[in-house]
Amino acid sequence: MISLEALYVFCRFSHFVVVMLMFGLSLFTVMLTSGHFSRLMGERLRVGILISTVLALITSLVWFVAQAGLMGDGWQDIYVPDIWLAVLGTSFGQVWQWQLLVAIFAVGGLFLSNTKVRNLLLLSCAVILLSSHAFIGHAAMYEGNIGLLLQANQVVHLLSVGYWFGGLWPFLLCLQFLRLKKAPEANLYRDSTYLINNTHGINSAYGINGTHAGGIDSSKNIAAGLYAESMAAMRKFSLYGHFAVFLVIVTGIVSSVILIPGWPVFNRAISEYQSMLWLKIVLVTGMVLLALINRYILVPKLKQKGCYQLLIINIWLEIILGTSALLCVAIFATQPPA
């Protein structure tokens, strides 16, 4: 049987992943796209937003009961209401009760019929869900001005990571739209017809009337329109991504310096906490290098043979490294910083 500690770590990891996906997916549709393309992205990302939102609620609940078991005597106490009340009375519980309420509210927001309002609501909920982690755990260790600085720093860190990691998934979708422009005519007609028939309003968005709307010529118009709007969204993501990556690095250093006095330390054996922290730093460094290669080497040469495929591979590598970094955080966040 899995240990309660292992469940707790896995739950923390899963929660961070799904909330950052919820944040990144909804932010992309609300802030980085506009008009008909925003609606198209919303349609294509709807399932991902739904799954991440529901899982955000589930992982919040599991995190709470796992915390109850850790505060009590193990598995037998995760269902005891008195233990739940005791957890709610702690500083963690006072924050987590709002986490649960916001997660429930977000799931309710999935039933809104207006896509724009729904995504804006989910984005707001994701901001709160992410930011609330700055008020529990290591970030809540200090009081006074240092405590406020650490918490504010952690809010910026979490939202910056959420933008970077969560935005990589819709960025991949934009890359798929770029492929339409270079597709052979038969595939171009097939793919654009699929978009016409499965996304309300795309015909009028690109000046097309009718279901098949003139065959290949109309398909080329759709492909050209999607290419231009995808590139615009990707440029916005990249522009703001520079600031997000910078903030991730700076706020990460600030947190480490505050939590570990004298950090970095090289003249003595390091703790398990610091070992996982350094592993996270290596993983994030790899993400930064991949992001720089993507932005300044591959994207300018996107029309050259092989660059498109290599860009997709690098994005997936960024996602893998980011997921691994979040796992490191889930592990060392359960240990005392030293």
Side-chain angles (χ1 to χ4, degrees):
M1 184 177 183
I2 184 174
S3 69
L4 194 56
E5 290 78 7
L7 174 64
Y8 183 70
V9 169
F10 177 75
C11 182
R12 289 181 67 101
F13 164 68
S14 303
H15 183 78
F16 279 124
V17 170
V18 298
V19 173
M20 287 184 180
L21 283 178
M22 176 184 170
F23 176 71
L25 297 179
S26 54
L27 182 143
F28 214 97
T29 59
V30 171
M31 296 184 62
L32 301 182
T33 58
S34 59
H36 295 282
F37 187 65
S38 177
R39 184 164 56 192
L40 172 60
M41 288 291 289
E43 290 291 327
R44 299 299 294 270
L45 295 173
R46 180 193 299 176
V47 174
I49 293 174
L50 186 151
I51 292 173
S52 60
T53 303
V54 172
L55 288 178
L57 174 59
I58 293 173
T59 53
S60 295
L61 290 168
V62 176
W63 188 326
F64 176 77
V65 297
Q67 184 71 50
L70 291 173
M71 281 189 62
D73 293 324
W75 286 103
Q76 65 270 25
D77 285 336
I78 65 174
Y79 304 112
V80 179
D82 288 341
I83 301 294
W84 293 356
L85 292 175
V87 173
L88 290 174
T90 64
S91 58
F92 165 83
Q94 291 171 5
V95 173
W96 210 251
Q97 60 187 327
W98 291 105
Q99 176 93 0
L100 292 171
L101 287 173
V102 172
I104 293 170
F105 187 64
V107 171
L110 292 172
F111 296 95
L112 292 174
S113 57
N114 188 304
T115 303
K116 185 175 181 180
V117 173
R118 181 176 67 241
N119 288 337
L120 184 59
L121 173 65
L122 293 175
L123 174 60
S124 302
C125 290
V127 169
I128 297 172
L129 292 176
L130 270 180
S131 300
S132 65
H133 289 279
F135 305 97
I136 60 174
H138 295 155
M141 287 175 55
Y142 293 90
E143 297 180 350
N145 292 333
I146 291 296
L148 291 175
L149 172 62
L150 184 57
Q151 290 174 341
N153 181 79
Q154 191 66 6
V155 168
V156 175
H157 185 75
L158 289 164
L159 294 178
S160 300
V161 174
Y163 177 91
W164 186 7
F165 178 76
L168 289 173
W169 300 85
F171 188 88
L172 273 175
L173 179 57
C174 286
L175 283 176
Q176 298 302 312
F177 289 137
L178 298 188
R179 187 175 59 184
L180 282 177
K181 190 175 181 181
K182 302 193 301 181
E185 288 191 347
N187 293 341
L188 175 63
Y189 180 73
R190 181 199 63 202
D191 294 342
S192 59
T193 301
Y194 173 83
L195 287 172
I196 291 173
N197 293 333
N198 289 276
T199 306
H200 174 69
I202 193 172
N203 301 48
S204 59
Y206 300 103
I208 296 168
N209 297 309
T211 302
H212 295 286
I216 296 298
D217 290 338
S218 298
S219 299
K220 289 180 179 179
N221 290 336
I222 293 176
L226 289 175
Y227 183 92
E229 297 196 62
S230 295
M231 286 298 296
M234 290 165 62
R235 287 192 189 99
K236 286 183 182 179
F237 175 75
S238 178
L239 174 63
Y240 301 137
H242 285 74
F243 296 102
V245 172
F246 174 76
L247 289 173
V248 168
I249 294 171
V250 172
T251 54
I253 292 173
V254 171
S255 292
S256 299
V257 170
I258 294 176
L259 291 173
I260 309 173
W263 187 87
V265 179
F266 302 106
N267 59 354
R268 66 172 185 265
I270 60 176
S271 64
E272 186 174 350
Y273 177 94
Q274 288 198 50
S275 297
M276 297 303 298
L277 176 60
W278 280 112
L279 177 56
K280 174 197 171 186
I281 291 171
V282 170
L283 293 170
V284 172
T285 301
M287 292 181 69
V288 172
L289 291 175
L290 285 171
L292 291 173
I293 291 171
N294 293 343
R295 175 61 184 85
Y296 293 105
I297 297 179
L298 295 181
V299 171
K301 300 178 180 179
L302 199 57
K303 294 182 180 180
Q304 295 185 13
K305 185 177 180 180
C307 287
Y308 177 84
Q309 290 77 10
L310 188 56
L311 180 58
I312 291 179
I313 292 172
N314 280 4
I315 296 295
W316 276 112
L317 287 175
E318 270 194 80
I319 290 172
I320 293 170
L321 290 176
T323 305
S324 302
L326 290 177
L327 179 59
C328 289
V329 173
I331 294 172
F332 73 66
T334 62
Q335 303 165 351

